């Protein structure tokens, strides 16, 4: 045992002198004392730092409570905040890169002006100059068109901190403007749950531990909600079975007890087939339905009339006996939870499929139960004042006339932004303000969006980096990160709320959206008194205080928002959503037959709507889900992330690769009638023969944009609750060829 | 037997989230390139089903460390608790350890022109805290074994397909092997 | 895999040439009239090689520390042995100058011995389980073959200028000997390739990389086939030929340098995952 030293031999070695001990039979072993080793070069980054509370404001289920470690005014490291029992003191791969994001050499430092747009000829300007240009343009537009409607805001999920709604407030404070309305992410599912339950509201995800049976349906928490996996594992350790239904073998599917490779977009058929089998075998929870639901009789009639196991098997590609077993296990193992993913509703029948799953949960009595539920998301903790957003219009503001004679902003579809920008007239859109968003990267048909930019007189983008969108702007304004500002955040999944403390000074001249609004207000009013109603004073911490009302304070069990400095708090909501039986539908019950859906041209019952089919020219379905390395176009550009995930690739099934003569590592072109993307092939049987998979991201030095192939095809739902239908991102069909 | 700290990697639980790897960089704010801890995807061919399974590996603080043996300047030392430490100040950047380690644990830092590697967060160990990577794992897939000599064996194995020959350096690591669930696939 | 390690390539090749040269000149050296070429030339080569090797280090200013881990590091031992060899050559030179033949002989023989052990140590550095392409006797064989090819080739050139320096009395003996060594080198390489084919995925990757590399085929041409042809020519030149000897030396040097660069550049580490 030449390298195992006992204390005695160590002392002996010392006695013999260090030079000699280096030559002993112990192979030159030295014992290091900790102090000596620190000198040897392993200083802990967070040593001696002051700790602040933050929340990761990115568009993510987990919305992590964070701690930031600051020494000499520099952010030294970050960690999870252990107070939050959901995120449990841990961050994801993205969260741990924050020091590199804050101090990235690519980060925007100053306001900049580009002439001409897209030329790359950037010139540093002062904030005053930038605001002067913007304010004069706003006033000129108002003069020329008689309103501020030619000014359009596109802001969404790049930062979900509540104070960042200040940018909407700024727009309101100058008059009626045009707004990109809707959400690209999850509206079909939101509407589905709105039709069924009155709104979306999931059980506390920490309650998943109480499940005996968990179906993860089109969701990949191993990569997109890592903290949820702990509760799923905990349930399994107590005997729960974990089932994953997904077209591809995701990292989550790899952990499942049972994985079902379903044909994409056919989830509704599976749910209905299960429902029929449950109905036939008398496993329906009739008492629950009688007390809590309406329309189930018609639903059962539909099942008996139109649905069989064989039919479901044919549509979904899953053997009938497997569907029968799944139905039996789900219906007879109580409580059973279904987590409905956002991926599975990004189809032309996505909302309808979610409704079928909701119905499945309802007829088995799993809604409103701890350990049960049809979990999708919630907005129950989002009842803030939106004080930064809610601004009066200046006197004389002109907007779109509504039938009742009042005026409103003008809305265009965020999910068909390019085309709507081009098609909107009277007045046309001439100025764009883009915040917390990167449409040239993340929108479908970015080619069209870029074309629409050409019609603009002025494009202003607020961001951390020179994104694709920022690169096609006239003016970019540097934004602060959550470490440089105060704020408050809630999650659309877990029940926690936390505040952001300003931990460091803003990076160079970066500013928060509310600060920008206040400065622009001052500039506008200096040029034309009374032209803007946004307040021009107040520090950000005061603005945070304005967001709290008695209801939300009560929900958190505090009397003042500042108590959140001691740590994030969990809202005192019902652990099991809907366990009070107070559904928010017009009937006050679960509406398996929806009274609202027909008003939007949709079936009242969760009947099956056939999935979109591939064409002979474009026979492959191109799925473009999230990777663990980024949220949409954020994080992949950070150097640490580039190091871990240096290049994009497309996953191809071995059979498809063989048919196309493609080998692992070959360069391939994925294309359809609107565009293409060129990337490396990765051969893997985790996908299906007719499915290609590539992960959305913005690689700052590559012309890599999956959305070049994505058409703005709407999903079926979203109009009711979010203003516009969602995007059928996953009904994208392509062909593929080897290029070299 | 001398005490030996080690890592337990539960591949049944590991979700390939890379938190451990990035938490390590965050803890020491390392240069871009070196990856003291690294998450590897297991080759599909070595698994019973095509799956996405991962292992997270750093320095294994081997019982018989190759780095320590080959180092010409004696920059490596092994603590009483088994942690293998590398002395940055002593290193002359010959990189022989990077060639000798079967696991790629010691890595060359181009900027400092010397080698560096996982130190098992010995400062945290001395404070009775968990290493940064272990503390970052959201699912408990990466754990610290306080002493391998008294670590129960039954559910764990010493090697996995795709893990280099353990007789070379006797790495201080144990694995829970991946468990194959049932797959209903459309391509078979 | 694309780390060509040029400082190490030049260091090992030059040091091995120096030791190979010693093998030629030391046995009959004592008392001869040209100690400068017998001792200072290889000493100079060795010193040059060691200076070049510093280029491989991140911190060459602390290179002296490399002597401090003799207990288990072959690199430490290599540095010690080559340093010893160098010092003993100086001693031999001074002894020769001073006419002390016994001392000269002892120092020269010890220098040769430490040189040969140095080549052994040098090779053993790389016999690492973590690099399957290196982890076999071919590494040792290859390093000694380099010494035994380049040393005599160098000696043969000097023999043309300073007759009596080496045992080469006739060009054709030299040519024949070198041809035999070349054949041995070729056979050992074939044996190496066969070994790679059977030694696991990493070694197989080394094999395919080698065979796909134009450098390998240049090495075959410059280091084996062309020298074989030249040595065949030499075999027919009774008194030897400076131009042919020089050509042979240059070809062999180019071949061995490429071969060594490939040695470093294609050693695939054990794969994980």
């Amino acid at each position: 045992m030449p390298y195992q030293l006992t204390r005695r031999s160590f002392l002996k070695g010392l006695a013999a002198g260090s030079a000699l001990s280096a030559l002993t039979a112990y192979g030159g072993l030295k014992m290091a004392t900790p102090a000596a080793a620190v000198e040897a070069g392993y200083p802990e980054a967070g040593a001696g730092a002051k700790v602040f509370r933050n929340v990761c404001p990115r568009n993510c289920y987990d919305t992590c409570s964070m701690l930031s470690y600051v020494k000499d005014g520099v952010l030294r490291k970050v960690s999870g905040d252990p107070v939050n029992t959901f995120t449990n003191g841990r961050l994801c791969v993205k969260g741990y890169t924050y020091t590199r994001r804050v101090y990235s050499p690519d980060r925007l430092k100053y306001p900049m002006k580009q002439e001409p747009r897209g030329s790359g000829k950037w010139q540093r300007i002062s904030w005053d100059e930038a605001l002067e240009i913007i304010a004069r343009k706003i006033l000129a537009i108002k003069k020329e068109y008689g309103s501020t409607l030619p000014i359009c805001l596109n802001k969404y999920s790049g930062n979900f901190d509540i104070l960042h709604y200040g940018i909407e407030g700024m727009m309101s404070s100058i008059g009626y403007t045009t707004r990109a309305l809707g959400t690209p992410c999850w509206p079909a599912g939101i509407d589905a749950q709105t039709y069924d339950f009155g709104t979306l509201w999931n059980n506390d995800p920490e309650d998943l531990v109480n499940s005996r049976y968990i179906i993860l349906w089109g969701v990949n928490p191993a990569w997109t909600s890592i903290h949820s996996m702990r509760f799923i594992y905990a349930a399994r350790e107590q005997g729960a079975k974990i089932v994953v239904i997904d077209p591809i073998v995701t990292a989550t599917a790899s952990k499942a007890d049972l994985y079902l490779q379903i044909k994409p977009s056919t989830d509704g058929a599976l749910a209905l087939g299960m429902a029929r089998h449950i109905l036939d075998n008398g496993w329906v929870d009739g008492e629950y339905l009688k007390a809590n639901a309406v329309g189930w009789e018609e639903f059962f009639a539909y099942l008996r009339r139109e649905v069989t196991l064989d039919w479901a098997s044919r549509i979904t590609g899953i053997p009938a006996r497997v569907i029968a077993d799944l139905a039996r296990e789900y219906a007879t193992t109580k409580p059973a939870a279904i987590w409905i993913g956002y991926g599975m509703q990004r189809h032309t029948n996505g909302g309808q499929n979610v409704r079928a799953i909701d119905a499945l949960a309802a007829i088995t009595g799993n809604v409103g139960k701890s350990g049960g539920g049809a979990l999708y998301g919630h907005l129950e903790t989002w009842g803030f004042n939106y004080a930064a957003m809610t601004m009066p219009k200046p006197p004389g503001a002109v907007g779109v006339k509504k039938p009742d004679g009042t005026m409103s902003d003008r809305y265009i579809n965020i999910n068909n932004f390019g085309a709507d920008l081009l098609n909107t007239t009277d007045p046309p859109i001439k100025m764009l303000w883009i915040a917390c968003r990167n449409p040239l990267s993340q929108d479908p048909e970015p080619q069209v969006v870029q074309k629409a930019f050409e019609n603009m007189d002025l494009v202003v983008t607020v961001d951390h980096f020179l994104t694709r969108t920022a690169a096609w702007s006239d003016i970019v304004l540097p934004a602060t990160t959550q470490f440089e500002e105060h704020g408050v955040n809630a999650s659309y999944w877990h029940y926690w709320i936390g505040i952001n403390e300003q931990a460091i000074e803003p990076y160079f001249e970066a500013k928060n959206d509310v600060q920008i609004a206040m400065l622009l207000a001052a500039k506008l009013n200096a040029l034309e008194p009374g032209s803007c109603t946004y307040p021009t004073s107040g520090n950000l911490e005061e603005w945070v205080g304005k967001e709290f009302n008695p209801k939300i304070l009560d929900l958190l069990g505090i009397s003042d928002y500042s108590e959140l400095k001691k740590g994030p708090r969990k809202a005192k909501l019902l652990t099991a959503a809907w366990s009070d039986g107070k559904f928010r539908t017009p009937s006050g019950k679960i509406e398996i037959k929806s009274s609202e859906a027909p008003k939007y041209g949709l079936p009242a019952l969760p009947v099956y709507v056939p999935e979109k089919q591939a064409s002979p020219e474009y026979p492959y379905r191109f799925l473009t889900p999230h990777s663990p390395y980024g949220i949409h176009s954020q994080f992949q550009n950070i150097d640490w992330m580039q190091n871990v995930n240096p290049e994009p690739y497309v996953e191809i099934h071995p059979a498809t690769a063989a048919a196309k003569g493609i080998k692992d590592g070959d360069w391939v072109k994925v294309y359809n009638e609107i565009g293409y993307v060129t990337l490396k092939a990765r051969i893997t049987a985790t996908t299906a023969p007719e499915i290609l998979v590539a992960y959305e991201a913005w690689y700052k030095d590559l012309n890599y944009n999956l959305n070049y192939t994505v058409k703005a095809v709407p999903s079926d739902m979203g109009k009711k609750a979010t203003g516009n239908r969602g995007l059928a991102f996953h009904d994208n069909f392509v062909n593929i060829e080897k290029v070299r | 037997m001398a005490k030996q700290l080690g890592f337990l990697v539960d591949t049944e639980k590991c979700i390939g989230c890379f938190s451990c790897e990035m938490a390590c960089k965050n803890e020491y704010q390392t240069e871009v390139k070196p990856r003291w801890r690294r998450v590897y995807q297991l080759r599909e061919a070595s698994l019973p089903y095509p799956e996405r399974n991962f292992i997270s590996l750093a320095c294994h603080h081997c019982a018989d460390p190759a780095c320590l043996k080959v180092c010409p300047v004696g920059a490596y030392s092994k603590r009483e608790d088994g942690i293998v430490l590398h002395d940055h100040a002593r290193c002359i950047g010959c990189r022989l350890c990077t060639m000798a380690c079967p696991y790629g644990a010691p890595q060359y830092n181009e900027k400092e022109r010397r080698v560096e590697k996982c130190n098992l967060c010995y400062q945290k160990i001395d404070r009775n805290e968990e290493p940064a990577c272990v503390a970052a794992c959201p699912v408990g897939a990466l754990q610290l074994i306080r002493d391998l000599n008294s670590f129960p064996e039954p559910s764990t194995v010493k090697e996995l397909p795709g893990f280099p020959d353990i007789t070379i350096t006797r790495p201080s690591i144990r694995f829970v092997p991946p468990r194959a669930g049932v797959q209903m696939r459309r391509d078979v | 895999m694309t780390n060509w390690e040029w400082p190490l390539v030049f260091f090992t090749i030059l040091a091995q040439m120096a030791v190979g040269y010693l093998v030629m000149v030391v046995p009959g050296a004592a008392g001869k009239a040209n100690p400068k070429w017998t001792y200072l030339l290889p000493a100079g080569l060795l010193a040059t090689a060691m200076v070049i090797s510093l280029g491989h280090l991140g911190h060459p200013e602390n290179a002296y520390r490399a002597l401090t881990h003799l207990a288990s590091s072959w690199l430490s031992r290599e540095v010690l042995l080559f340093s010893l060899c160098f010092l003993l050559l100086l001693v031999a030179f001074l002894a020769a100058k001073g006419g002390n033949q016994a001392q000269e002989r002892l120092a020269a023989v010890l220098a040769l011995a430490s040189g040969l052990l140095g080549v052994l140590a040098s090779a053993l550095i790389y016999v690492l389980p973590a690099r399957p392409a290196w982890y076999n006797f071919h590494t040792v064989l290859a390093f000694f073959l380099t010494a035994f090819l380049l040393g005599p080739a160098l000696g043969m050139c000097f023999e043309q200028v300073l007759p009596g320096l080496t045992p080469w009395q006739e060009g054709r003996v030299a040519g024949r000997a070198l041809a035999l060594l070349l054949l041995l080198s070729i056979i050992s390489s074939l044996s190496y390739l066969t070994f790679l084919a059977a030694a696991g995925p990493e070694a197989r990757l080394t094999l395919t990389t080698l065979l796909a590399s134009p450098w390998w085929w240049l090495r075959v041409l410059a280091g084996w086939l062309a020298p074989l042809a030249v040595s065949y020519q030499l075999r027919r030149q009774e008194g030897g030929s400076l131009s042919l000897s020089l050509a042979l030396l240059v070809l062999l040097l180019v071949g061995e340098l490429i071969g060594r660069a490939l040695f470093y550049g294609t050693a695939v580490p054990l794969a994980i995952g």
Side-chain angles (χ1 to χ4, degrees), chain A residues 507-638:
Chain A
Y507 183 72
F508 290 84
E509 294 184 5
K511 291 192 192 301
N512 169 286
D513 282 331
V514 167
Q515 291 170 321
I516 295 172
M518 292 192 293
L519 286 171
L520 186 60
K523 178 60 77 178
L524 279 164
N525 287 322
L527 292 170
E528 185 185 307
S531 60
C532 181
T533 65
Y534 212 91
T536 52
S537 65
N539 68 42
L540 291 179
E541 197 175 349
E542 289 163 13
W543 278 100
V544 171
K546 290 188 210 172
E547 293 296 350
F548 287 80
N549 51 49
K551 200 176 162 202
I552 205 153
L553 290 172
D554 183 52
L555 203 54
L556 297 177
I558 53 178
S559 54
D560 190 83
Y561 84 92
S562 59
E563 290 178 49
L564 291 173
K565 289 179 181 176
K566 285 181 244 158
R569 293 184 75 90
K570 187 171 172 176
K572 292 182 290 177
L573 290 164
L574 295 172
T575 297
W578 309 119
S579 54
D580 56 358
K582 292 177 186 161
F583 296 96
R584 296 179 208 164
T585 53
S587 63
K589 308 232 169 177
I590 302 173
E591 295 193 355
I592 294 177
K593 184 184 180 187
S594 169
S595 56
E596 290 283 305
K599 295 178 189 164
Y600 292 86
L602 296 161
L605 286 171
V607 300
Y608 188 64
V609 171
E611 73 282 8
K612 210 167 175 228
Q613 302 289 340
S615 67
E617 297 87 1
Y618 304 110
Y620 302 106
R621 191 183 280 269
F622 193 24
L623 296 182
T624 55
H626 295 259
S627 87
Y629 313 108
I631 294 273
H632 300 307
S633 62
Q634 298 184 101
F635 290 105
Q636 180 55 58
N637 62 314
I638 308 302

